[in-house]
Amino acid sequence: MGSHLCDSLISDGHQVIIFVRDPNKNQNIHHILDKITIENVDITNSTLLEEKILEIEPNVIFHLAGQTSHKLSFDNPFYDLDVNTKSTLTILETLRKAKFVCRFILGSTFVVIGRPQSLPITETSQCNPTSIYGANRLTSEYYCKIFNQLYDLDILIFRITNSFGPREQSLTPTKNAINFLIHHAFEGKEITIYNQGKFFRDVIYIEDVISALNVLMNKGKKGELYWISSNKKTWFHEIGKILEDKTNGIVIYGDATEYNKKVDVGNFLVDNSKLKLLGWNPKISIEDGISKTIESF
């Protein structure tokens, strides 16, 4: 997501500075290396993170960094706490003490909801996360709400449903399940879809996510939470059919693992009307998005 946002911000004439833990992992931004500034900052290093923010004095911060795998959050819960929660609190404390004004936009996730009690989900739906990752992301959201209420900081929060597209993670299903399925199908491999594909998610293409972030940066109301979603049901057996039609991949429908049964959120659909009131609309269909992603591979 970060590289796509950089592309968009650069095209709009913004000066872009990115914080990366490993400056050598730049395959997603190799085409814009001469147009951005890269700072080697591990966001779990609170001292360095604060120092760099105060040095740069940014007008806007997009906090997109973090550990996004619910599986890894159980394997290393204290790291997940540092990268997904402590980093947010460090940024908020830094901005609270700063002498400049900065809009802080926190990226969050649909997994904070857990298993929905009713559909569609809205900004006021109850949250019961089923993973440490989800709990830490939700904690970051609460930190942002508190700092906005108490210190009147210019803070926005957005949650994304299942996003996918070129340059998104595709090597492991625990980080981006849809990109993983597309990539494996593209390589002609067998792909497994649980529960006979008889479950649906709210799936959104990366271009639509980036256009939403631009709208939030320019028009979002501080202190508010917004959902970025397609507001459409995408059944996973539909994804399987599209992949079989467009690739040499073979879809196998199987039963979910015991782990998956315990943490999976199940069917998911989000009402995106609040974001649409700002003038945004998603444009890319699931089939077109899969085609564009296959082309990129």
Side-chain angles (χ1 to χ4, degrees):
M1 185 192 309
S3 65
H4 293 280
L5 181 59
C6 286
D7 290 341
S8 176
L9 293 172
I10 290 169
S11 68
D12 288 339
H14 295 286
Q15 179 187 3
V16 178
I17 301 171
I18 64 172
F19 289 176
V20 297
R21 182 174 57 186
D22 185 353
N24 295 316
K25 292 184 177 181
N26 59 18
Q27 63 269 23
N28 283 351
I29 54 172
H30 66 89
H31 60 294
I32 52 171
L33 289 175
D34 60 336
K35 299 177 182 178
I36 61 175
T37 300
I38 300 176
E39 296 280 358
N40 185 13
V41 179
D42 186 333
I43 61 170
T44 64
N45 184 336
S46 297
T47 301
L48 181 59
L49 181 58
E50 176 179 357
E51 177 184 303
K52 283 296 181 180
I53 292 173
L54 294 177
E55 174 188 318
I56 294 167
E57 297 190 1
N59 301 115
V60 180
I61 294 175
F62 284 95
H63 187 8
L64 308 179
Q67 193 290 108
T68 61
S69 166
H70 52 77
K71 176 68 166 58
L72 291 178
S73 76
F74 288 109
D75 293 342
N76 195 344
F78 291 104
Y79 176 73
D80 196 88
L81 180 69
D82 282 346
V83 73
N84 284 328
T85 306
K86 185 180 176 182
S87 63
T88 301
L89 187 58
T90 299
I91 296 171
L92 292 170
E93 264 293 276
T94 302
L95 295 179
R96 180 183 69 82
K97 296 181 289 186
K99 305 299 182 183
F100 57 90
V101 176
C102 174
R103 165 156 281 198
F104 178 49
I105 302 175
L106 174 72
S108 191
T109 169
F110 71 97
V111 301
V112 301
I113 294 291
R115 295 185 180 92
Q117 296 183 347
S118 62
L119 296 175
I121 297 294
T122 70
E123 284 77 8
T124 60
S125 295
Q126 186 174 349
C127 296
N128 292 292
T130 60
S131 67
I132 292 172
Y133 165 58
N136 283 332
R137 286 294 196 186
L138 184 59
T139 300
S140 282
E141 290 187 17
Y142 278 113
Y143 285 156
C144 287
K145 292 176 182 177
I146 292 167
F147 272 69
N148 167 257
Q149 292 168 1
L150 188 58
Y151 305 114
D152 197 33
L153 294 185
D154 186 359
I155 298 169
L156 292 176
I157 303 165
F158 68 88
R159 295 174 183 161
I160 304 178
T161 54
N162 284 97
S163 65
F164 75 103
R167 304 204 301 258
E168 297 296 281
Q169 301 221 35
S170 60
L171 299 180
T172 170
T174 61
K175 289 189 175 182
N176 191 313
I178 296 176
N179 258 44
F180 175 82
L181 293 175
I182 297 172
H183 187 253
H184 266 52
F186 164 76
E187 292 186 329
K189 297 178 179 178
E190 290 184 350
I191 59 174
T192 300
I193 297 179
Y194 294 140
N195 300 329
Q196 307 304 313
K198 295 178 181 179
F199 63 99
F200 60 82
R201 290 287 176 81
D202 191 321
V203 176
I204 187 163
Y205 187 62
I206 188 63
E207 283 183 20
D208 287 327
V209 173
I210 299 306
S211 66
L213 295 185
N214 276 284
V215 168
L216 290 178
M217 180 177 68
N218 294 303
K219 297 181 180 180
K221 183 179 177 182
K222 73 176 183 178
E224 293 294 324
L225 164 68
Y226 297 89
W227 274 103
I228 300 177
S229 76
S230 66
N231 192 27
K232 294 180 180 178
K233 295 179 182 179
T234 297
W235 293 88
F236 267 68
H237 62 78
E238 294 177 344
I239 294 177
K241 180 66 167 58
I242 293 171
L243 292 178
E244 286 185 323
D245 289 343
K246 294 181 178 294
T247 72
N248 293 321
I250 301 171
V251 180
I252 298 175
Y253 293 98
D255 295 326
T257 64
E258 288 304 311
Y259 168 80
N260 184 268
K261 291 177 182 177
K262 291 178 180 179
V263 303
D264 188 67
V265 301
N267 290 335
F268 214 89
L269 182 68
V270 173
D271 181 345
N272 58 14
S273 58
K274 183 175 179 180
L275 182 54
K276 283 186 172 181
L277 290 175
L278 300 181
W280 172 83
N281 275 291
K283 298 178 180 179
I284 309 298
S285 69
I286 179 68
E287 186 165 1
D288 287 345
I290 288 176
S291 294
K292 289 173 179 284
T293 307
I294 291 172
E295 183 180 349
S296 74
F297 288 142

